[in-house]
Amino acid sequence: MDTKVQHDSAAPMIELRGISKSFGPVQANKNINLKVSKGSIHGIVGENGAGKSTLMSILYGFYKSDSGEIYINGKQINITDSHVAIEAGIGMVHQHFKLVENFTVLENVILGMENSFLINTALNNARVLLSELASTYSLEVDPDALIEDLSVGHQQRVEILKALYRQADILILDEPTGVLTPAEADHLFNILRNLSKEGKTIILITHKLKEIMSVTDTVSVMRRGEMTATLETSKTTPQELAELMVGRSVLLRIEKDATEVGGKSLEVHNLSVMDKRGVTALKNVSFHVRKGEILGIAGVAGNGQTELLEALGGISPATGTMKIDGEEIPLHDKGSDARSRREYGVSHVPEDRQKLGLILDFFAWENIAFGYHHNDEFNKNWLLMDNRKTREIARQEMAKFDIRPPTPNNLVKNFSGGNQQKIVLARELEQNPKVLIVGQPTRGVDIGAIEFIHQKIIELRNKGVAILLVSVELDEIFSLSDRVAVLFDGKIIGERITEETNESELGLLMAGIEDGPEEQPAMESVA
């Protein structure tokens, strides 16, 4: 079947008519209609489970719709798989890149598209075209560099070049800025604007409303599998979009009052951690967090945040010193595990809820007790847990944290990502900790749950708890933190009072541009 599309200037570039898709009893898409103009940047927003990714997966051929029609440039196309989508001029840049790390840029771009028995001929032909594409769209990248040696921002450029090499006229980008610095994100948006000016059509899936307002021409809102609105971006606001997504008024930034900050509750000196490859991931990191204070740790993912959280949470051994309320606690060997941390009053919300925070095949009530199941509140005696009492505690906490469905006997794997995160938070926040260590608290969580989670963290801070917040989301850092430190290449290279800095300044630090010597005394005064 010839899927090459002839352009019809009067038709929208993309038109979806009556698209529906069910997975068993769950209807992910319900009779969706959508038109996207040629050369436009079109945003799609919605809560977790709204059906955004399913809809784009249908357009790209990962799923086949149960009903409905797809038109590209006015011509109906039966997209049965991704090969048909690519032939129709559709490309997709996934949130998690699909690159071979030990291949070069050039090899990744032509992979599967060699079109020659002589690989050297294919590489040489691709090199010429790649140079033209990079120059036209400001996608400069060394074609001979190994993917593993490139920054995340440059790897993303390779994904876009792959799609353009395959002659894509339509580009779908799924949460493209999740692991980029602010400067890299700005450069990406300039690339998207250039692509749009050249007639390419862009679909941008993101939960960051600021990005929608900055770069899109139009935006569609999905809710519970349905398309609820399509608006001109210039004629809407982030608040209106948030309300359309959730169905109620949403606070986009939590208001927090000044609190009386107490003494140092968490003190860390010269903390160093070696990762599983034997590489030093944290290098003599020192900081403190006072009672009633939130210290935010900003940085691009992969700069030591995971190792910091796991060392402080008792999951990984470390060297250096850690004190809770002035009492030094072990960082390696005996007494350095996660259970001992809890006994010192440290609660830990890990970055990866499914890997470290939950056991997916266990019930919600069991997960709410895990790690604390030795505590008297969950036990009949020193041998047995009181399952009935534990289920009742779980029911109360599920109601308090608005966990849906509020069913203790539901397996955790059957909850949405946002509700799984609330289960972890309910367990850790309800233990009256002295110190809360929380990593990526709203990763993969929709805007309504973000508001709720932020409120709970602020409530704990207002009760005098010292909170260490690690997040790659600068909006989250600014919304919650009283102070912010930037982690780069395993070192803290700058610290600021949140109200006295901005995204540009933090963005430079996140890119590794360190404070000058003249700024060091000011940093000390913060302490």
Side-chain angles (χ1 to χ4, degrees), residues 177 180-191 193 214 503-504:
T177 64
L180 301 184
T181 67
E184 287 174 327
D186 287 342
H187 185 75
L188 171 65
F189 295 150
N190 287 332
I191 290 169
R193 293 184 186 104
S214 170
E503 286 196 10
S504 296

Side-chain angles (χ1 to χ4, degrees), residues 7-77:
H7 289 276
D8 179 354
S9 58
M13 187 66 176
I14 304 165
E15 184 175 5
L16 307 180
R17 299 180 186 174
I19 297 293
S20 294
K21 177 66 177 177
S22 294
F23 298 94
V26 178
Q27 188 160 12
N29 292 156
K30 305 174 187 177
N31 194 35
I32 288 179
N33 298 298
L34 175 67
K35 293 181 180 180
V36 180
S37 300
K38 180 183 178 182
S40 68
I41 302 177
H42 190 101
I44 298 182
V45 297
E47 292 186 282
N48 289 12
K52 309 182 297 296
S53 294
T54 298
L55 186 65
M56 290 303 100
S57 294
I58 290 170
L59 181 58
Y60 192 60
F62 281 156
Y63 298 140
K64 185 75 171 67
S65 64
D66 298 332
S67 61
E69 300 168 344
I70 297 174
Y71 292 81
I72 305 297
N73 281 325
K75 179 180 178 180
Q76 186 176 355
I77 303 292

Side-chain angles (χ1 to χ4, degrees), residues 264 286 288 290 483 495 519-527:
K264 297 177 182 179
S286 299
H288 68 267
R290 298 180 182 273
R483 287 187 296 126
E495 182 180 323
E519 297 182 57
Q520 297 302 321
M523 286 174 56
E524 289 298 323
S525 67
V526 171

Side-chain angles (χ1 to χ4, degrees), residues 94-97 152-153 156 173-182 184-185 188-189 204-208 211 299-302 305 440 443-444 471-474 510:
H94 301 270
Q95 185 174 3
H96 303 289
F97 304 147
V152 175
Q156 188 175 68
L173 293 98
D174 187 5
E175 299 287 358
T177 64
V179 291
L180 301 184
T181 67
E184 287 174 327
L188 171 65
F189 295 150
L204 177 65
I205 303 173
T206 179
H207 69 278
K208 300 177 182 179
E211 295 179 357
V300 179
Q305 298 96 319
Q440 318 301 345
R443 174 176 282 169
S471 178
V472 296
E473 302 286 354
L474 274 184
M510 290 167 66

Side-chain angles (χ1 to χ4, degrees), residues 41-44 204 211-219 233-234:
I41 302 177
H42 190 101
I44 298 182
L204 177 65
E211 295 179 357
I212 289 290
M213 301 304 298
S214 170
V215 75
T216 65
D217 302 300
T218 49
V219 55
T233 307
S234 61

